[in-house]
Amino acid sequence: IAGITQAPTSQILAAGRRMTLRCTQDMRHNAMYWYRQDLGLGLRLIHYSNTAGTTGKGEVPDGYSVSRANTDDFPLTLASAVPSQTSVYFCASSPTPLFGVYNEQFFGPGTRLTVL
Amino acid sequence: GENVEQHPSTLSVQEGDSAVIKCTYSDSASNYFPWYKQELGKRPQLIIDIRSNVGEKKDQRIAVTLNKTAKHFSLHITETQPEDSAVYFCAAGSQGNLIFGKGTKLSVKP
């Protein structure tokens, strides 16, 4: 693995089904993020994790959950998918900030999710 | 919370001309302002960033300016080329979390 990867690349899902989007990074970054991207709305933060074992809510957390059992993995789960969750999902990671100075977020290739 | 406004939503320029994209933010605690470029079907990639202790930063044809008092920052691309065509996003944040603008679709006509 080089950088940050996401799986699956794309998925079509029936409404009401449970789905987990996977994100893995090998850069030993402490911080990880999940965004959704919708046309005309830019990137909106769903959940984040500043370090393994901790998570936090972003702008649009409803209907999504995350876990951070270790540094490398940050899965995003839709417990019961709805059509409004149709979107492109990007995972990102960032090095630990030093003295309050934050750094570049590196994005994964994205997952295109369609909920019917 | 933070709110980021980005203008214009679309911008069309002739090759060789300059392009300027502007963003405003609301939270005075924000201290990190990156700009991302996203080509069609690709992931966002950082092109330049600026921190709140700096007023201007330049990297070849790209420059960013920050006015903390007015809470706005701008991206300047000079001598535009067709490969600059993409969607550009500004963002603002602190404590590691970023709030993104809605994006500007830049088209550079040959």
Side-chain angles (χ1 to χ4, degrees), chain A residues 46-59:
Chain A
I46 304 171
H47 284 287
Y48 65 92
S49 169
N50 287 331
T51 189
T54 69
T55 63
K57 294 182 179 180
E59 301 172 81

Side-chain angles (χ1 to χ4, degrees), chain B residues 19-62:
Chain B
V20 180
I21 303 170
K22 299 182 179 181
C23 289
T24 60
Y25 63 99
S26 61
D27 188 350
S28 57
S30 289
N31 57 17
Y32 180 57
F33 307 91
W35 286 88
Y36 283 82
K37 176 183 180 182
Q38 187 178 28
E39 297 176 350
L40 189 63
K42 301 286 184 63
R43 72 189 80 186
Q45 292 196 302
L46 183 77
I47 54 171
I48 195 167
D49 56 11
I50 192 167
R51 305 184 193 282
S52 58
N53 60 345
V54 176
E56 184 174 359
K57 183 176 179 180
K58 190 173 182 180
D59 183 2
Q60 298 183 340
R61 297 186 297 109
I62 295 173

